Amino acid sequence: MKDNEVKERLKQSLSVMEESSPGDKPTLSEMVTQVKQTRQKQKKELYIFFIIALIFITGIILLIASEPLVFVVFQAAAAVLGIGFLIVERRLQHE
């Protein structure tokens, strides 16, 4: 008897889910169009990322070449700030 009750509940739940799901499902051509648009957007974002990364890397290389001491100070400050952040975060998690 329990198996039949479980089956009936499952059927009822599935029918409720089917009724509540949106009826407008995209067609194949709409999905293909959406995939193409997404790929174009991702390509554009990737190009922008590469340009920004190249500018950033060029700046770092120029900084190292012209002022190595300033670069070392920035690296040390970043390391200290990172360790400090981890310590504070760990203390906040334990409280």
Side-chain angles (χ1 to χ4, degrees):
M1 290 272 180
K2 282 190 174 184
D3 288 339
N4 288 335
E5 290 177 20
V6 170
K7 287 179 184 178
E8 285 299 317
R9 286 186 184 173
L10 281 173
K11 285 180 184 179
Q12 289 174 352
S13 298
L14 287 174
S15 64
V16 168
M17 281 178 50
E18 287 175 357
E19 291 172 5
S20 65
S21 67
D24 296 336
K25 295 181 183 175
T27 64
L28 179 62
S29 62
E30 290 173 341
M31 289 181 68
V32 169
T33 304
Q34 192 173 22
V35 167
K36 285 181 182 179
Q37 289 173 347
T38 303
R39 286 186 180 166
Q40 287 175 348
K41 182 180 176 187
Q42 288 175 342
K43 251 186 201 179
K44 181 180 176 183
E45 290 174 354
L46 186 63
Y47 290 144
I48 292 171
F49 173 78
F50 278 141
I51 290 169
I52 292 172
L54 285 173
I55 291 170
F56 186 74
I57 290 172
T58 303
I60 289 175
I61 290 172
L62 289 174
L63 179 66
I64 291 171
S66 64
E67 297 291 331
L69 183 62
V70 173
F71 179 73
V72 170
V73 169
F74 279 137
Q75 291 294 312
V80 169
L81 287 172
I83 292 170
F85 176 75
L86 290 174
I87 291 171
V88 169
E89 190 69 26
R90 184 165 285 189
R91 285 186 184 170
L92 289 175
Q93 285 180 355
H94 288 295
E95 290 179 359

